[in-house]
Amino acid sequence: MLPSSIQISGEPLSGAEVRDICRGLRDNAVRLLSLRGCRLCDRDFGRICRALAGATSLAQLNLNLGVVSSPSRIKQLAEALRTNRSIQSLFLHGSPLTDAGLALLNPALALHPALVALDLGDCMLGDEAINLICGLLPPDGAKSGLKELTLSANPGITPKGWSRLAIAVAHSSQVRVLNLDYNPLGDHVAGMLAVAVASSRTLEVLDLEGTGLTNQSAQTLLDMVENYPTALRSLVLAENSISPELQQQICDLLSEGEEEEEVAGGPGDTQEWEKGREPAAARHQGSSSWRCPSDPSSQMVLMTSGLGDSLLAETEM
């Protein structure tokens, strides 16, 4: 039997549903588990964590929108992640982790052998959390680390924290997707990020939607894209005080670079990376770059995959 996808959105979970989920995890019949915004008691949350600890087929775990709602649940999830060896993508967007909660999770995240995508958007994080996250972005060649990181809507992070993240990204050889939308970054932080992008050999997607940028930032980013060869292919600048002309110039330059890659036989389109992400950035309007094909408003359903990686079934709410 091929692994299935269990996706439930915004519903209370019954005891029978929890038993079915645990059975599927223990039987290694689940590749994607999404309990986005679901309501369940602490006892049932613990049962699910114990089941996912030993799951070997589970690749993506989505507990967005408050499912991990207390220190006790954070500890239970951390215990599960210490044992699990298969999860590649973990989505905790909208969970009240705070720096203290991330400190509880961090040892398990740092030692996990497969984790490459992490969404900590809207998790009430600050600079102490950034220090921990930078440890998940090891310097070139040190060890494996995150390739996709979402830190949307964490206004408690200060410019000092963002500067440390920029340094880590500049020296990481693996980060491909970085979502910082809806943080009050401002032009100063954007300048540091431009330096990080110019230094990175792998960063392909940078989301700066709604981050308080002006034409000053846009001009810096334009100069970077125009004069320095980078891997960047998507730069989201919507909902900033940036002129349409500057946005279009940046978009045109990025498009030219992508076309040159295709002619030279370079990599194809960036793989879909936003299937479990819960970003405000999904509401891009008039963005100057392409957006990943996801719909966070979709109703989650249970289905069995007939093809290896085609695991998502979505019906409009």
Side-chain angles (χ1 to χ4, degrees):
M1 178 179 175
L2 292 173
S4 66
S5 172
I6 299 177
Q7 303 184 69
I8 307 171
S9 179
E11 301 289 340
L13 296 183
S14 66
E17 288 173 318
V18 170
R19 285 193 296 273
D20 288 343
I21 291 169
C22 292
R23 184 180 305 112
L25 291 170
R26 292 194 182 97
D27 292 344
N28 294 313
V30 179
R31 181 170 173 80
L32 186 157
L33 176 61
S34 175
L35 304 179
R36 173 183 175 271
C38 290
R39 300 181 295 281
L40 69 166
C41 67
D42 288 343
R43 177 173 175 271
D44 284 343
F45 183 86
R47 291 169 61 193
I48 291 174
C49 284
R50 288 190 293 275
L52 69 85
T56 60
S57 64
L58 187 65
Q60 184 176 119
L61 178 62
N62 183 331
L63 300 176
N64 286 352
L65 302 183
V67 177
V68 186
S69 57
S70 65
S72 64
R73 292 193 179 191
I74 294 171
K75 291 177 182 178
Q76 289 174 316
L77 178 60
E79 286 296 325
L81 292 173
R82 287 191 186 96
T83 304
N84 179 275
R85 290 292 180 268
S86 64
I87 294 174
Q88 299 172 27
S89 302
L90 177 63
F91 301 97
L92 299 175
H93 200 113
S95 302
L97 297 182
T98 72
D99 290 358
L102 187 60
L104 294 174
L105 272 180
N106 186 68
L109 298 176
L111 295 175
H112 199 286
L115 188 68
V116 293
L118 181 63
D119 186 341
L120 297 175
D122 195 18
C123 285
M124 304 172 64
L125 303 181
D127 288 357
E128 291 183 15
I130 287 291
N131 293 338
L132 299 174
I133 291 166
C134 287
L136 305 177
L137 307 174
D140 291 2
K143 61 178 181 178
S144 61
L146 295 178
K147 295 181 179 179
E148 304 171 8
L149 174 62
T150 295
L151 291 172
S152 315
N154 280 294
I157 300 171
T158 71
K160 181 180 179 180
W162 293 124
S163 66
R164 176 153 190 185
L165 179 69
I167 293 170
V169 170
H171 288 278
S172 171
S173 61
Q174 299 167 70
V175 178
R176 295 187 297 108
V177 177
L178 181 61
N179 301 302
L180 304 180
D181 47 315
Y182 294 94
N183 286 295
L185 303 182
D187 290 330
H188 178 63
V189 172
M192 292 187 290
L193 290 171
V195 175
V197 172
S199 302
S200 173
R201 295 175 294 176
T202 59
L203 189 64
E204 298 178 3
V205 178
L206 178 60
D207 189 343
L208 299 177
E209 177 177 359
T211 50
L213 309 188
T214 70
N215 283 344
Q216 177 183 328
S217 295
Q219 188 62 59
T220 300
L221 293 165
L222 176 62
D223 292 343
M224 180 268 297
V225 172
E226 191 170 22
N227 296 305
Y228 296 92
T230 73
L232 194 67
R233 299 170 61 200
S234 174
L235 178 59
V236 181
L237 296 173
E239 297 193 32
N240 286 295
S241 299
I242 297 174
S243 70
E245 292 78 14
L246 277 173
Q247 292 199 46
Q248 190 60 51
Q249 289 181 60
I250 294 171
C251 181
D252 291 344
L253 285 170
L254 291 176
S255 298
E256 288 174 9
E258 187 171 348
E259 289 171 2
E260 290 172 2
E261 276 190 356
E262 290 175 355
V263 171
D269 289 342
T270 301
Q271 69 181 33
E272 294 181 17
W273 49 267
E274 207 177 1
K275 288 178 179 175
R277 189 180 168 223
E278 199 72 37
R283 300 191 304 269
H284 292 324
Q285 298 293 331
S287 168
S288 61
S289 67
W290 57 266
R291 297 178 297 280
C292 296
S294 68
D295 180 4
S297 67
S298 297
Q299 176 68 36
M300 306 303 188
V301 298
L302 168 64
M303 51 87 69
T304 300
S305 171
L307 297 173
D309 293 327
S310 300
L311 297 170
L312 298 180
E314 298 180 346
T315 57
E316 296 298 322
M317 292 182 70

